[in-house]
Amino acid sequence: MDKYILDGQYGKYLEMIGVKVGEALKASGVPEDLFSHKKPMLDEADYFRFMEAVGKQVKDPQLPITVATADQIETFSPPIFAAYCSRNGKMCCERLARHKRIIAPMRYEITEKGDALEVAMTASRDDLTIPQFLAESEMVFIIHIIRTATKEEIIPIEVRMTNPPKDKNFSEYAGCPVVKGKEDAIVFNAEDMEKPFISYNEAMWDFLEPELQKRLYEMEKRS
């Protein structure tokens, strides 16, 4: 994809939690008024530079957790809400993987290995890497949405990051050690990922799916 449409509300949300969005946009070399555009758009490299600039502003190590666990974040966008309406964690991650590129220029790759389910996060281009702030926020978000939807304190089996945070906030939130690896990946017990979501709503999925498919089709036409 050459360009990705960003949710215009995301800029307001970052400002609300203390990020100087204009400064981050300027530091990443994109227009400072990006989020005032009708359809804010960035290519993958610019998006990652923007998120890296946001991360550099962050002095509070708790902030990635705050960003990803905000109240009602599951209603932030249709792809996220569709995932929240899934039958269980496995289906949730599958829906996120299918529609992630509508939200951000990155991929979720899901692998089942025996009694474990792994969600790896990768850039769409081999020459790019996911900024540490973005990777941490994404992992917290996945844990958060699964815990919120099951009403259980789901603990990952393992978390691997190419650039693990130096503080303990993330590992304490996850409930397991965060180790250095060749990729950014989070591994869950397969049994936990089959636990039912109290938010399961097939009718809502039937309502949202045509629009999500339309957005994916429009993105493919632009590529």
Side-chain angles (χ1 to χ4, degrees):
M1 307 296 171
D2 292 329
K3 295 282 186 178
Y4 289 80
I5 299 175
L6 306 182
D7 192 308
Q9 296 300 313
Y10 191 53
K12 294 179 181 178
Y13 177 64
L14 290 174
E15 290 278 4
M16 184 181 69
I17 61 175
V19 174
K20 296 178 180 178
V21 174
E23 290 185 12
L25 290 168
K26 184 176 181 180
S28 56
V30 298
E32 295 178 57
D33 65 345
L34 176 75
F35 285 105
S36 67
H37 297 179
K38 184 176 181 179
K39 290 186 176 181
M41 299 177 73
L42 288 178
D43 65 21
E44 187 170 14
D46 285 340
Y47 177 80
F48 285 166
R49 281 197 294 270
F50 170 61
M51 293 307 299
E52 189 170 6
V54 169
K56 287 180 179 178
Q57 284 191 27
V58 175
K59 306 303 180 185
D60 180 4
Q62 182 69 23
L63 191 58
I65 299 172
T66 302
V67 169
T69 60
D71 189 37
Q72 299 297 310
I73 195 171
E74 62 275 5
T75 63
F76 181 72
S77 69
I80 294 175
F81 191 48
Y84 185 65
C85 293
S86 299
R87 185 184 301 275
N88 52 38
K90 179 183 177 182
M91 182 182 287
C92 172
C93 289
E94 289 172 345
R95 287 182 180 176
L96 286 172
R98 190 183 313 166
H99 303 117
K100 186 61 184 177
R101 54 189 169 147
I102 296 176
I103 310 171
M106 58 190 295
R107 296 191 302 248
Y108 280 6
E109 297 179 353
I110 300 174
T111 306
E112 294 185 67
K113 300 177 180 178
D115 61 353
L117 185 145
E118 176 179 297
V119 183
M121 300 161 198
T122 64
S124 298
R125 285 168 42 184
D126 293 337
D127 60 327
L128 297 175
T129 56
I130 299 175
Q132 189 272 333
F133 175 80
L134 179 58
E136 184 179 349
S137 298
E138 287 287 325
M139 290 186 181
V140 170
F141 164 71
I142 292 174
I143 297 170
H144 170 72
I145 197 170
I146 291 172
R147 288 176 178 174
T148 300
T150 59
K151 294 297 183 184
E152 293 192 29
E153 191 69 7
I154 302 297
I155 305 294
I157 297 173
E158 180 183 57
V159 173
R160 302 190 304 274
M161 294 184 70
T162 57
N163 184 22
K166 296 179 181 179
D167 60 88
K168 295 182 179 180
N169 292 65
F170 178 33
S171 61
E172 289 176 353
Y173 176 81
C176 70
V178 179
V179 300
K180 187 172 180 62
K182 295 182 179 180
E183 61 184 350
D184 297 307
I186 184 166
V187 184
F188 292 96
N189 186 303
E191 185 176 335
D192 285 340
M193 298 300 275
E194 294 291 344
K195 291 181 178 178
F197 276 18
I198 62 169
S199 52
Y200 174 57
N201 189 328
E202 193 66 18
M204 183 58 69
W205 166 247
D206 290 340
F207 174 76
L208 292 170
E209 184 184 23
E211 177 61 24
L212 297 178
Q213 291 302 113
K214 178 183 175 183
R215 291 192 190 185
L216 286 175
Y217 175 71
E218 290 173 348
M219 291 182 73
E220 289 169 358
K221 283 177 62 178
R222 291 201 308 269
S223 63

